[in-house]
Amino acid sequence: MSAPATSGTSTAAAVEVLARAADDGATVVLSGHVQPDADALGSALALAEGLRRRGARVVTTFPEPFVLPESLGWLPGADELVPPAQVPAEVDVFVSLDAASPGRLGGLAALVGTAGRSVVVDHHASNPGFGEVQLVDPAAAATVVLVAALLEGLDVPLDQRLATCLYAGLTADTGSFRFGNTSPGTHELAARLLRTGIDHAAISRRLFDTAPFGWLGLLSAVTGRAVLEPDVGAGLVWTCSTAAEARAHGLAPDQLEALVDVVRATAEADVACVVKGQDDGTSVVSLRSRGATDLTRVAMALGGGGHRAAAGYTSYLDLEGTLEQLRAQVRAARPS
């Protein structure tokens, strides 16, 4: 059973736990959040490789549904991911990466308490603080920023394999360095990664500029039903789709994730929303803000979390019920 939690941001404490595990050849299980994005997966794969080089026995996974998005399957180390069912029963150290809450770890959340030690590495402002050692820094542009610091503390030099994973997460969570979370330190880390010789253009092309032809049909349908509600808060634009609609266009449901970054371009709305219906009847709600609305507050009020400008949650209501709840929270979150 894990010891009481160590509060606050502590790179040194996390490095100490991981270095000892590596020196002892311990079993370390690393997991990103459910339906991992480039930051979650890049963080897990980079730290796993670093620990492996230091001598740890590493298992890298993510929660069910264990379906790797095609857009991320090329990342170095992705072929070594194992399903949650194959995670060893005895785990010396469990590392959670980019998960804003235990619920984002699905069935793997139990390892936070049952592993010998637990380390939580995250950058979400909504993270309530869980796990034994917490490296949680909302000022970090992405969780890969924190992983880069851990690798440095573990004396693992960056090379192209590690840098590819880290750069993928960094460019994804900063919107190719367009979002407000981009800082001088963000560009300094990017420069370090570029010096390893990675093909940054190829990474960005795979992440942002490559999609099946069916994506165009889906995009046309979903943007065609978008609704603008300028009187809700500082303006709300929303649209909806479903996993079934994605499949009807020959796409995997994870292709729905990119829709909100198209809808967010609407100049008349501060908040953009895409409601994505799932096969189990729930909906995953993705939110983006242009700056006037704190989406952390909105999402947390509805059972989710995230950042001020990007957040999300799961709704168990129908579409109209979901939108009614969202409108109320967007109105409440608008600054007076």
Side-chain angles (χ1 to χ4, degrees):
M1 185 67 66
S2 296
T6 301
S7 62
T9 300
S10 178
T11 303
V15 167
E16 180 181 1
V17 171
L18 297 175
R20 178 168 297 183
D23 292 342
D24 293 344
T27 298
V28 182
V29 173
L30 302 96
S31 176
H33 55 69
V34 64
Q35 297 178 329
D37 56 10
D39 190 26
L41 196 60
S43 294
L45 294 176
L47 186 56
E49 179 63 20
L51 289 171
R52 192 176 290 114
R53 294 177 187 180
R54 281 290 309 267
R57 293 175 291 175
V58 176
V59 177
T60 316
T61 186
F62 61 87
E64 296 287 356
F66 189 74
V67 179
L68 185 65
E70 290 184 17
S71 61
L72 300 177
W74 56 273
L75 285 173
D79 58 335
E80 299 176 3
L81 289 160
V82 302
Q86 295 180 19
V87 170
E90 299 294 326
V91 176
D92 297 311
V93 179
F94 175 66
V95 185
S96 166
L97 294 137
D98 202 43
S101 67
R104 294 285 284 159
L105 293 168
L108 292 167
L111 291 176
V112 175
T114 61
R117 308 292 301 272
S118 63
V119 179
V120 173
V121 185
D122 185 36
H123 74 126
H124 291 90
S126 61
N127 193 304
F130 65 99
E132 178 187 352
V133 174
Q134 302 161 11
L135 176 51
V136 179
D137 184 2
T143 297
V144 292
V145 173
L146 306 177
V147 170
L150 292 175
L151 291 171
E152 184 175 8
L154 290 166
D155 294 321
V156 177
L158 294 178
D159 59 13
Q160 290 187 23
R161 181 183 179 94
L162 294 171
T164 294
C165 293
L166 296 175
Y167 190 84
L170 189 64
T171 190
D173 263 30
T174 60
S176 295
F177 310 103
R178 294 179 294 116
F179 298 164
N181 59 351
T182 302
S183 68
T186 309
H187 286 294
E188 288 163 5
L189 175 57
R192 287 177 55 202
L193 300 176
L194 291 175
R195 290 190 191 102
T196 67
I198 59 173
D199 189 341
H200 63 92
I203 293 171
S204 294
R205 186 166 57 250
R206 283 174 139 169
L207 288 176
F208 308 117
D209 297 328
T210 302
F213 180 72
W215 163 252
L216 297 179
L218 177 67
L219 185 62
S220 175
V222 175
T223 56
R225 67 173 72 105
V227 176
L228 176 64
E229 301 187 18
D231 297 329
V232 175
L236 170 68
V237 59
W238 64 268
T239 189
C240 58
S241 186
T242 64
E245 184 176 36
R247 287 191 290 267
H249 286 272
L251 304 172
D254 64 76
Q255 293 284 341
L256 299 174
E257 299 301 315
L259 292 169
V260 71
D261 288 318
V262 177
V263 179
R264 72 185 302 166
T266 304
E268 297 90 343
D270 182 61
V271 175
C273 166
V274 176
V275 181
K276 298 166 290 187
Q278 308 298 298
D279 292 331
D280 63 1
T282 65
S283 292
V284 174
V285 183
S286 293
L287 302 172
R288 298 291 185 270
S289 170
R290 300 173 72 87
T293 307
D294 184 352
L295 293 180
T296 306
R297 176 179 171 184
V298 172
M300 289 186 70
L302 296 169
H307 310 281
R308 179 182 179 87
Y313 62 97
T314 298
S315 174
Y316 299 89
L317 303 176
D318 61 14
L319 178 61
E320 189 50 46
T322 297
L323 291 169
E324 280 301 313
Q325 280 194 334
L326 176 63
R327 292 182 187 108
Q329 293 302 325
V330 168
R331 291 186 180 104
R334 181 180 181 179
S336 56

